[in-house]
Amino acid sequence: MEKIIWGVDPGSTICGVSQLRGGSIGYCFNETPEKVYNRIMKLCEASKVIIVIEDIFPYSMKLTPAVIETCKLIGELTYRFKKNKQVLSVNLIPRNTVKKWIFETCPEVCDTRIEKKIISRHATNIKAGKRGFVKQDGSMRKPSFNWVDDKIVKSALIKINKIESAQKGKQNIYGLKDHSWQALALVQCFAHTDQKVSETS
C-alpha cells in the first residue's frame, strides 16, 4: 500500500499543508483553519493516510490570542482526524524537533547562515549594551538548531528535495509558499526519523 502522509502547520488565520505520497511531494497549499480538514479529506478520496500536525510546546512562547486559537485548532484537528477511519494515525511534533532535523540533515545550508545570524545578533547586542555571544575563550558561539528560522528551513528543503528555482514572478512546481514550506519540513521530518513525540491511532 502506498504510504500517504499529510503534514499540517496549524495557524489561527492560515494553515500550511503538504503531502508526501510514496516519498514524493504531492499536494501543497495554504488553507483557512475552518476549511483545512475538509479539503485534506476530500483530496484523500478513499485512501488510508497518516496525519502529522505541528504541536505547540511552551518554551519561551508568549500566550497571545493567536497562540490560544492555534492550540484550540490543534485539539480540534487531532480529534477530527482521529475519529476518521481513513486515518491510520495522528502524530504531533513540535517545531523544535523539525528545526533540529533540518539542522542535522542539511549542515551545509544551516551552518554558514546561522554563523552570520550569530555574528549579526552579537553586534546588535553589544551595541545595545547587552551580553554578546563570545565565549570565555574568545570564540564565537557555535551554530545550533535553535537558530534555524523559516528562511533556513526553506533553503534546506530546496536542497533536500532538489527543487528547481522558479522563474521570477512564478511559483515552484509544487505550489509551495508561506506556511506550506513549514508543513513540508514537518512531514519530511516525520518520514525520515523515528522520533514521534505523540501518536494516537
Side-chain angles (χ1 to χ4, degrees):
M1 182 176 68
E2 185 179 41
K3 194 171 185 179
I4 302 173
I5 310 171
W6 287 90
V8 182
D9 174 28
S12 59
T13 58
I14 199 75
C15 298
V17 179
S18 290
Q19 179 202 55
L20 282 186
R21 192 178 189 108
S24 298
I25 300 174
Y27 294 107
C28 299
F29 54 86
N30 293 314
E31 187 55 271
T32 57
E34 59 270 18
K35 294 181 180 179
V36 67
Y37 172 84
N38 288 336
R39 185 171 178 184
I40 289 173
M41 294 315 305
K42 183 178 181 180
L43 291 171
C44 288
E45 297 180 335
S47 302
K48 297 286 186 179
V49 298
I50 295 169
I51 302 294
V52 188
I53 301 172
E54 184 175 287
D55 202 3
I56 287 182
F57 272 42
Y59 306 120
S60 59
M61 184 180 294
K62 293 182 179 179
L63 193 61
T64 64
V67 170
I68 293 172
E69 287 303 311
T70 301
C71 289
K72 291 177 181 178
L73 177 62
I74 292 170
E76 177 188 345
L77 292 177
T78 300
Y79 175 79
R80 295 182 72 181
F81 281 123
K82 180 183 175 183
K83 297 293 286 185
N84 194 309
K85 294 181 179 179
Q86 285 181 242
V87 177
L88 299 173
S89 67
V90 179
N91 306 270
L92 303 177
I93 300 180
R95 178 164 293 204
N96 264 18
T97 299
V98 179
K99 290 167 66 173
K100 189 172 187 291
W101 176 76
I102 288 286
F103 179 76
E104 294 175 347
T105 302
C106 213
E108 64 275 24
V109 170
C110 296
D111 287 354
T112 302
R113 288 169 171 79
I114 292 174
E115 284 171 357
K116 289 180 180 178
K117 284 185 67 176
I118 292 173
I119 292 171
S120 176
R121 186 77 62 81
H122 171 78
T124 300
N125 281 10
I126 294 300
K127 188 175 181 180
K130 299 178 181 179
R131 184 176 179 181
F133 296 105
V134 173
K135 297 189 290 186
Q136 289 184 346
D137 62 4
S139 63
M140 191 67 72
R141 183 181 296 180
K142 293 182 179 180
S144 70
F145 73 88
N146 295 305
W147 291 85
V148 172
D149 58 20
D150 290 348
K151 288 183 179 180
I152 293 175
V153 167
K154 180 179 176 179
S155 296
L157 288 172
I158 288 172
K159 184 173 182 61
I160 292 168
N161 296 281
K162 299 178 181 178
I163 299 173
E164 294 184 9
S165 298
Q167 293 181 357
K168 190 175 181 179
K170 294 185 178 181
Q171 287 187 352
N172 54 75
I173 60 172
Y174 301 110
L176 285 156
K177 63 177 183 178
D178 306 325
H179 299 277
S180 58
W181 281 106
Q182 183 60 32
L184 178 61
L186 178 72
V187 77
Q188 290 278 22
C189 173
F190 177 85
H192 289 87
T193 69
D194 294 322
Q195 297 175 5
K196 302 176 186 179
V197 176
S198 172
E199 179 174 318
T200 310
S201 57

